[in-house]
Amino acid sequence: MLSKRVIPCLDVRDGKLTKGIKFKGNVDIGDPVETARLYYEAGADELVFYDITASSEGRGIMLDVVDKVASQIFIPFSVGGGISTVEDMRAVLLAGAEKISVNSAAVKNPDIISQGAAAFGSQCVVVGMDVKQVPVSEKIPSGYEIVIHGGRKPMGLDAVEWARTVEALGAGEICCNSIDADGAKTGYELTLTRLISETVTIPVIASGGAGNPDHMADAVTVGKASAALIASIVHYGEYSIEDCKNRMAARGVKVRRVW
């Protein structure tokens, strides 16, 4: 069995680490570069950075933050937000990231997935999916709809169908984020996570809702995810990376131990 990954997520707004609930009410809580270094030293397997307002504000990407982070940590990290072209992807990778994450841009222009995979390899291309539960309909048969621009714009696109599409286009990984669960700390949306994990053969990262390490264990067992994304529980010091991994291991989940 491959080890299940623990991945802290750092949302960045105007160069500062920020956190909200269900994509709303964000407050600044620290410095993303310093926090990244602390999580690296604490045993995180990877890190994810999102510039949460870049797409909706039509801004470019935070290359200065990427460059500073790359000088401080020596684990893989991905960057998303404001990436809409292959040139943007190249700039982020050259600044030191191992992966790029596309979300809104991929929905509006799916070719960017295949273009990025062709230029840099599928392993570099993560597709972020922000998903909201809606009534089952002919257009949304799974009952889960893709929403873009930080949860502000529903797209009438079924999440399961979109997952199949992005894998076919060459994505190497999917980060599946439940808007309904985001920041609520009541657990991941396991039905959605399992649905996407069973739909594709590429790794799926569960995102949105972690309130304790047992939720993380549920995400990679019940939800069949390859990794659990966390934010609030580590940002606010409720649990350490080691706490999370120890509890997951006690639940029978294989993890990379903190040295």
Side-chain angles (χ1 to χ4, degrees):
M1 178 194 295
L2 292 175
S3 294
K4 302 295 187 178
R5 292 166 291 153
V6 172
I7 307 178
C9 176
L10 294 89
D11 289 340
V12 179
R13 178 180 64 179
D14 298 328
K16 298 182 179 65
L17 181 63
T18 184
K19 191 71 190 82
I21 297 176
K22 298 185 179 181
F23 286 29
K24 297 177 181 177
N26 281 75
V27 293
D28 294 338
I29 58 174
D31 175 61
V33 179
E34 174 64 16
T35 304
R37 186 181 62 79
L38 292 174
Y39 290 157
Y40 157 64
E41 293 175 348
D45 297 301
E46 297 183 20
L47 295 175
V48 170
F49 291 85
Y50 290 128
D51 187 332
I52 62 169
T53 56
S55 293
S56 60
E57 294 176 359
R59 285 190 292 101
I61 42 185
M62 48 180 187
L63 293 178
D64 57 332
V65 174
V66 177
D67 182 67
K68 290 174 184 174
V69 167
S71 71
Q72 296 288 315
I73 71 171
F74 302 94
I75 53 174
F77 71 98
S78 64
V79 176
I83 297 172
S84 58
T85 66
V86 171
E87 288 70 31
D88 291 338
M89 293 179 175
R90 180 176 287 106
V92 169
L93 295 173
L94 288 174
E98 278 74 25
K99 305 177 185 179
I100 51 85
S101 179
V102 286
N103 188 326
S104 301
V107 175
K108 292 186 283 188
N109 175 26
D111 287 344
I112 192 174
I113 301 170
S114 52
Q115 291 167 357
F120 312 112
S122 290
Q123 80 286 347
C124 288
V125 182
V126 182
V127 173
M129 293 172 39
D130 292 331
V131 183
K132 194 167 182 62
Q133 189 168 19
V134 297
V136 172
S137 64
E138 186 175 348
K139 184 177 278 190
I140 313 291
S142 73
Y144 292 100
E145 182 178 10
I146 295 294
V147 183
I148 66 169
H149 288 171
R152 289 181 282 273
K153 186 176 181 181
M155 297 303 293
L157 179 61
D158 186 83
V160 171
E161 183 57 36
W162 180 234
R164 290 194 189 100
T165 298
V166 304
E167 180 178 33
L169 287 170
E173 195 164 32
I174 289 173
C175 184
C176 181
N177 185 56
S178 167
I179 293 174
D180 302 301
D182 181 74
K185 299 199 289 188
T186 53
Y188 297 89
E189 222 284 25
L190 296 177
T191 302
L192 169 65
T193 304
R194 187 176 183 122
L195 195 59
I196 300 301
S197 296
E198 291 181 336
T199 293
V200 298
T201 61
I202 56 178
V204 173
I205 304 169
S207 173
N212 59 57
D214 277 305
H215 291 155
M216 301 166 66
D218 291 340
V220 299
T221 54
V222 179
K224 294 190 173 182
S226 297
L229 205 71
I230 50 176
S232 299
I233 64 172
V234 287
H235 292 343
Y236 296 120
E238 296 166 43
Y239 297 94
S240 67
I241 303 292
E242 187 172 15
D243 292 335
C244 295
K245 290 193 172 186
N246 285 343
R247 181 56 187 157
M248 293 170 75
R251 289 274 305 271
V253 176
K254 185 179 180 183
V255 294
R256 182 180 68 87
R257 304 306 296 182
V258 177
W259 305 110

